[in-house]
Amino acid sequence: MRVTGSKAKVLLIGKTNYTPTFTCDNTSVRSDLAALVHDALANRKLVTRKNHLHQSLQNIASSISGPVAPSFQQLGALPRSLNLPSTVVPSPAAMSMQKRDFSQSSNKSLNINNINPHVKEAKYAVRGELAIKSEQYRAQLAKGEGKDLPFDSVISANIGNPQQLDQKPITFFRQVASLVENPQLLEHGEVLKNGLGYKSDVVERAKALLKDVKSVGAYSQSQGAPRIRQSVADFIERRDGFPADPQNIYLCGGASAGVNALMSVICASPNTGVLVPIPQYPLYTATLSLLNAQVVPYYLKEEDGWSTDVNDMRSALKEAQNKGIDVRAVVVINPGNPTGGSLEAQHIESVLELVAEEKLVMLADEVYQTNVFEGEFQSFKKILRQLQKGDKNKDGKFDNVELASLHSISKGMVGECGHRGGYYEMIGFDPEVVAQIYKFVSIMLCPPVVGQCLVELMVNPPKEGEPSYPQYKEEYDTIFNNLKARAHALYNAFREMEGVECQYPQGSMYLYPTIKLPQKAIDAAKKENKNPDDYYCLRLLDATGICIVPGSGFGQREGSLHFRTTFLAPGTDWVSRISDFHKSFMNEFK
Amino acid sequence: MRVTGSKAKVLLIGKTNYTPTFTCDNTSVRSDLAALVHDALANRKLVTRKNHLHQSLQNIASSISGPVAPSFQQLGALPRSLNLPSTVVPSPAAMSMQKRDFSQSSNKSLNINNINPHVKEAKYAVRGELAIKSEQYRAQLAKGEGKDLPFDSVISANIGNPQQLDQKPITFFRQVASLVENPQLLEHGEVLKNGLGYKSDVVERAKALLKDVKSVGAYSQSQGAPRIRQSVADFIERRDGFPADPQNIYLCGGASAGVNALMSVICASPNTGVLVPIPQYPLYTATLSLLNAQVVPYYLKEEDGWSTDVNDMRSALKEAQNKGIDVRAVVVINPGNPTGGSLEAQHIESVLELVAEEKLVMLADEVYQTNVFEGEFQSFKKILRQLQKGDKNKDGKFDNVELASLHSISKGMVGECGHRGGYYEMIGFDPEVVAQIYKFVSIMLCPPVVGQCLVELMVNPPKEGEPSYPQYKEEYDTIFNNLKARAHALYNAFREMEGVECQYPQGSMYLYPTIKLPQKAIDAAKKENKNPDDYYCLRLLDATGICIVPGSGFGQREGSLHFRTTFLAPGTDWVSRISDFHKSFMNEFK
């Protein structure tokens, strides 16, 4: 190694700034040392130890002769600056320490190069480029400016938004909601008389809810209103046959808010890892990006109806652990999004065995628990309680499992996503950790209170014999049967399409077929700098007005291609639009 | 420096693990090097450069003789471990890299020592210990078990939750809400007939809102429904006399969610700083803790009605900059929480001058804009537009100011906090940055849609001549006048209390008096390991059932003591409860 003139300057943070100047010809050493110092500086804790750090660097400097010769200059209270050789790729944190560059982006304080890098990294394709383009088409058509378009309507099959399509809200739910919104209607008793369709159980329920929350315009407890949580606990007990404690129930503004709270507490450092299924709902990868934690992907078994494969899970876990990643949790989405799969008890059991052995936190996303078309929904809670009581628990290994399971009013036959309601139950969590989750959610005050009321209605709907039951039952069953029928219609259409293979629809609101595209189509995509599945979906949108989401938004095995579509849109016309497009697309690239 | 036997072992992350062993007698050098390497490892980006890093460390090792002698051992794929000399205080990130300690906290995967340290650091006293204790008292009284308590009701003066106290919702708002919840009511036309109190403008508004959102149970655009945003823009234009663009309006689930989105994008590293007033609403410090960014405190001028002091702001800024903190934004809460102050145009002007000169992002929390009892509310937007048009902008320095201003349905005469609605307007932001904010909010899908509707109703209430106007006007004015009257009653009571000084009530929902406690009271607090203000508030709660928040929850000048109380509770009985308690407390410690 020889001394040369090239320099890497780094200023230390503190009242006084120092420049350790590494002067050497070994770019790798120089840049790595610079990066090391950067990363240290990016960490506030070390800043407070500036004097130590400075002393250490001086000591190192004085002990090194010739080959690598840092020198230190005291610069006084100058503004910090950072000049690194071009080979240095500082970390995002270090990047942001550079004096903000006002030359770009028209002199703004914030620009794309200096904002939170973890926000930039986060990907959320469900509402991405294609969705935005489809909204533009919709606006164009609404203005009557779409005469040149090859379609006359936009079909949003990209997002599970039932009431934006044809799903009608359940009457009982909305009648109660209207009364808690306007309790003056309860004062008269008129609502029961004059043909407005309200029945006595609607009035009673509204009164009971108002007794709990006082007003839907008031903040509730951060964790959610107490009697609503009790109602959720009763529902879980009926569903699983095992008791549930309302203290363990946290209401939230949709399952997304619950996932955010749980992940925010779990992810302690950039080294925290969470096992996430591939394919997955991108909330998980996006949240982990925002929290600067690591996605540890495991693959679902497509050929087996997208079931979990505990062997693949285990090897993904081991591989990550060998890399030093602190894997802390496993996400399972059941029924599956985007896959449309539904797990059997045995699959859940093996996941819980892994979780117990490896001391992982189990995150069970069960928001599609009523969208099950084959067999019966099995909750993680029920299977866990069975395991805890059974022979396999001789050594007590299941006793300490930490399970959080999420449910939502957005899906199922409820479909009230605009109301932002949901809950999670935490089982086996350390009370001190729960207290931190409580504090975390209290910073955002409380979940929307009407959403909380709808959670109560979802888990405690009219019962047989009650006045609103017949209508509730009829509406619920109709929605269920329509969803199932459309799932099958779509599935059958996919089976007819060349190069498309689709798993049998078992649950949730989606199908996730695999597509094999001709090489010429793949080449055409490459030419436009797009993934082949992105290209396919974009062409479909441009040709038919149907918006679906490419597999790249959810993850897929290297070399395979998929797309996700909901089966919420009414009618079957749009299904044949897809078939026709597919035929002509395949012909074009034959 | 002499070689000794003490060692600091650090394993590098990668398929293969390495132990660089620094063997030297200088603890400071050794521990700082170890910490440097830790912090580097804690950064995912560097992990991918393992080979470079390892090579560099080997190069450094081979170039250092005697004094500091790292040696490297290849360990293969062993589990990572970390043995540091006790003098090393690793960063939280580095801490979490230790193998999780299952010996504590009853064998749980997650415990208080390994969860996200930034969640642990966050403080949110408004819903803290005192609030929880007051809820316990309330539950005790409700069960009839409170006979031994020295009070018969709990007064929640700790939180601005109008409808939990006596504020009635505004009828027009809730009538419209009931119709968007149950559009079946619109089909009959019956609602207008039979004495339910609905007027034609209620029906029209509900229809217009449903045209925009289709169903309140459907997800809206992530940014909020388009016509509601247009309505917000129209309101801002009427308020300020300057145009507003609905593209710049983002609806959100209460202002807290807006602050979270904005801060999440602004805070790029642990070195990012945000100027926050002291005292402040703890949402700001809590959010900055969660994001691992730095609070740069500036003090409000209590003696001047809690106005901003741009000199103090500037010196806080310079001091932080000298420490190398990348200060990016200023928060101003106007009208003030917890202070009850209200800024004059001149104060806002000087803040904007500072912001323009220093290229900071201006975050104006204006959720109390209608709670102004003295003078008129001045928005940051209006003053900024005036400055941009005026003489002071000859050099164009105001042209590029980035301003985000927040408003909410939770406060004012609306008081619909349980509905979680609000908006922020972003002015002067770089479009690429706005796109990232859009992506960020889209991960949580959309704000509650009924809350969005209430935002529309708030910014576009019944106008003179419309059927619902007289009732709306009467309800609105009554709430306003009651709030003002109670503010003054409380202010007058405080003026009579020994050792209490209170600024004249100008705005918001709070008073934040300063209290001087006798030394004996301070000693008594110390004995119980409490801050004197915490002790005072706890004693007040135990004696009277009134829950207020100690100044320590908001920040106060060293040595001063305060508390925050809302003036939302009905009646004046509770005010005299405070006076009586204060008298006996002061006597006790005389």
Side-chain angles (χ1 to χ4, degrees), chain A residues 78-124:
Chain A
L78 290 181
R80 88 215 106 80
S81 75
L82 183 66
N83 306 306
L84 288 174
S86 59
T87 50
V88 174
V89 184
S91 69
M95 283 287 285
S96 66
M97 294 181 57
Q98 296 181 48
K99 190 147 181 68
R100 277 173 287 153
D101 175 9
F102 294 124
S103 64
Q104 289 183 25
S105 304
S106 65
N107 230 15
K108 294 297 175 189
S109 168
L110 293 181
N111 63 55
I112 194 69
N113 299 311
N114 71 12
I115 59 167
N116 186 345
H118 309 306
V119 173
K120 275 166 66 182
E121 282 158 18
K123 289 200 175 78
Y124 192 71

Side-chain angles (χ1 to χ4, degrees), chain A residues 380-397:
Chain A
F380 271 79
K381 166 91 180 278
K382 177 178 154 189
I383 307 286
L384 173 62
R385 290 300 190 223
Q386 286 173 346
L387 284 170
Q388 285 173 337
K389 283 196 149 187
D391 291 346
K392 290 191 180 164
N393 198 28
K394 273 179 198 148
D395 53 355
K397 74 175 175 182

Side-chain angles (χ1 to χ4, degrees), chain A residues 130-304:
Chain A
L130 275 160
I132 290 168
K133 191 169 190 189
S134 76
E135 287 304 325
Q136 288 163 349
Y137 279 141
R138 193 193 303 280
Q140 209 178 329
L141 288 167
K143 283 185 203 156
E145 293 167 4
K147 276 169 200 150
D148 296 338
L149 294 176
F151 47 84
D152 54 12
S153 65
V154 168
I155 305 280
S156 299
N158 58 313
I159 189 159
N161 192 2
Q163 297 186 16
Q164 192 65 40
L165 298 162
D166 87 329
Q167 190 170 312
K168 291 264 167 293
I170 288 181
T171 302
F172 177 78
F173 295 174
R174 292 302 196 86
Q175 287 179 332
V176 175
S178 68
L179 294 183
V180 297
E181 282 291 3
N182 188 12
Q184 289 181 3
L185 291 174
L186 293 169
E187 286 166 21
H188 308 294
E190 304 286 337
V191 284
L192 287 176
K193 292 175 200 160
N194 37 42
L196 296 178
Y198 287 73
K199 301 205 169 63
S200 61
D201 52 349
V202 174
V203 170
E204 280 157 31
R205 185 66 65 88
K207 284 183 180 165
L209 285 168
L210 285 171
K211 202 171 166 192
D212 195 17
V213 303
K214 185 158 180 179
S215 162
V216 292
Y219 293 126
S220 70
Q221 290 181 19
S222 298
Q223 187 179 353
R227 285 179 213 197
I228 296 177
R229 286 189 281 114
Q230 180 65 57
S231 206
V232 171
D234 295 345
F235 155 75
I236 294 172
E237 194 163 333
R238 284 194 306 276
R239 185 194 65 189
D240 296 337
F242 293 96
D245 181 349
Q247 278 305 105
N248 295 337
I249 312 287
Y250 274 59
L251 301 184
C252 52
S256 305
V259 168
N260 180 48
L262 290 162
M263 290 289 197
S264 293
V265 170
I266 290 171
C267 295
S269 85
N271 192 45
T272 302
V274 175
L275 277 156
V276 171
I278 298 298
Q280 53 103 34
Y281 176 53
L283 165 69
Y284 292 97
T285 44
T287 304
L288 290 170
S289 282
L290 292 177
L291 292 167
N292 192 23
Q294 304 207 34
V295 174
V296 180
Y298 68 90
Y299 287 98
L300 298 176
K301 275 173 100 164
E302 178 165 6
E303 67 284 7
D304 191 18

Side-chain angles (χ1 to χ4, degrees), chain A residues 13 32 109 163 181 215 323, chain B residues 13 56 163 215 323 419:
Chain A
I13 293 171
D32 282 325
S109 168
Q163 297 186 16
E181 282 291 3
S215 162
K323 284 182 189 156
Chain B
I13 294 173
S56 301
Q163 296 185 18
S215 162
K323 284 182 188 155
H419 275 104

Side-chain angles (χ1 to χ4, degrees), chain B residues 331-352:
Chain B
V331 174
V332 171
I333 309 172
N334 178 48
N337 178 1
T339 65
S342 176
L343 295 180
E344 289 167 32
Q346 72 195 58
H347 291 121
I348 296 172
E349 222 177 281
S350 357
V351 173
L352 285 170

Side-chain angles (χ1 to χ4, degrees), chain A residues 13-14 26 28-29 32 36 39-40 42-46 49 52-53 56 59 80 91-92 96 100 102 105-106 108-112 114-117 119-120 122 124 127 160-161 163-165 171 174 177-178 180-182 184-185 190 194 196 198 214-220 222 256 264-270 292-294 322-324 326-328 359 361 400 402 411 415-420 428 430 432-433 436 439 442 444-446 448-450, chain B residues 13-14 26 28-29 32 36 39-40 42-46 49 52-53 56 59 80 91-92 96 100 102 105-106 108-112 114-117 119-120 122 124 127 160-161 163-165 171 174 177-178 180-182 184-185 190 194 196 198 214-220 222 256 264-265 267-270 292-294 322-324 326-328 359 361 400 402 411 415-420 428 430 432-433 436 439 442 444-446 448-450:
Chain A
I13 293 171
N26 186 315
S28 177
V29 172
D32 282 325
L36 272 174
D39 280 25
N43 186 305
R44 215 187 335 177
K45 296 289 158 187
L46 264 179
R49 301 167 66 238
H52 268 217
L53 187 62
S56 302
N59 288 342
R80 88 215 106 80
S91 69
S96 66
R100 277 173 287 153
F102 294 124
S105 304
S106 65
K108 294 297 175 189
S109 168
L110 293 181
N111 63 55
I112 194 69
N114 71 12
I115 59 167
N116 186 345
V119 173
K120 275 166 66 182
Y124 192 71
R127 295 202 156 202
N161 192 2
Q163 297 186 16
Q164 192 65 40
L165 298 162
T171 302
R174 292 302 196 86
S178 68
V180 297
E181 282 291 3
N182 188 12
Q184 289 181 3
L185 291 174
E190 304 286 337
N194 37 42
L196 296 178
Y198 287 73
K214 185 158 180 179
S215 162
V216 292
Y219 293 126
S220 70
S222 298
S256 305
S264 293
V265 170
I266 290 171
C267 295
S269 85
N292 192 23
Q294 304 207 34
N322 288 343
K323 284 182 189 156
D326 179 10
V327 183
R328 294 186 162 198
K359 290 212 176 299
V361 177
N400 279 302
E402 292 145 272
K411 310 301 171 186
E416 294 283 1
C417 26
H419 275 104
R420 315 307 299 119
D430 185 300
E432 284 184 311
V433 173
Q436 294 294 321
K439 183 180 66 183
S442 79
M444 289 287 133
L445 300 158
C446 73
V449 177
V450 182
Chain B
I13 294 173
N26 186 315
S28 176
V29 172
D32 282 326
L36 272 173
D39 280 25
N43 186 303
R44 213 180 347 170
K45 295 291 156 188
L46 266 179
R49 300 168 66 236
H52 268 218
L53 187 62
S56 301
N59 288 341
R80 86 214 108 82
S91 68
S96 66
R100 276 175 289 154
F102 294 124
S105 302
S106 64
K108 293 297 175 190
S109 168
L110 294 180
N111 62 57
I112 195 67
N114 71 12
I115 59 167
N116 186 345
V119 172
K120 274 165 68 182
Y124 192 70
R127 296 202 155 202
N161 192 2
Q163 296 185 18
Q164 191 64 40
L165 298 162
T171 302
R174 292 303 197 86
S178 69
V180 297
E181 282 290 2
N182 188 11
Q184 290 182 3
L185 291 174
E190 303 287 335
N194 37 40
L196 296 177
Y198 287 73
K214 185 157 179 181
S215 162
V216 292
Y219 294 126
S220 71
S222 298
S256 305
S264 293
V265 170
C267 295
S269 84
N292 193 22
Q294 304 207 33
N322 288 344
K323 284 182 188 155
D326 179 11
V327 183
R328 294 185 163 200
K359 292 212 176 298
V361 177
N400 278 303
E402 291 145 272
K411 311 300 172 189
E416 294 283 1
C417 26
H419 275 104
R420 314 307 299 119
D430 185 299
E432 284 184 311
V433 173
Q436 293 294 322
K439 183 181 66 183
S442 79
M444 289 288 132
L445 300 159
C446 73
V449 177
V450 182

Side-chain angles (χ1 to χ4, degrees), chain B residues 46 93 101 138 222 233 249 276 299 317 388 401 434 462 471 532 540:
Chain B
L46 266 179
D101 175 9
R138 193 193 302 281
S222 298
I249 312 287
V276 170
Y299 287 98
L317 171 67
Q388 284 172 339
V401 168
V434 174
Q471 187 178 2
L540 174 74

Side-chain angles (χ1 to χ4, degrees), chain A residues 326-343:
Chain A
D326 179 10
V327 183
R328 294 186 162 198
V330 186
V331 174
V332 171
I333 310 172
N334 178 48
N337 179 359
T339 65
S342 176
L343 296 180

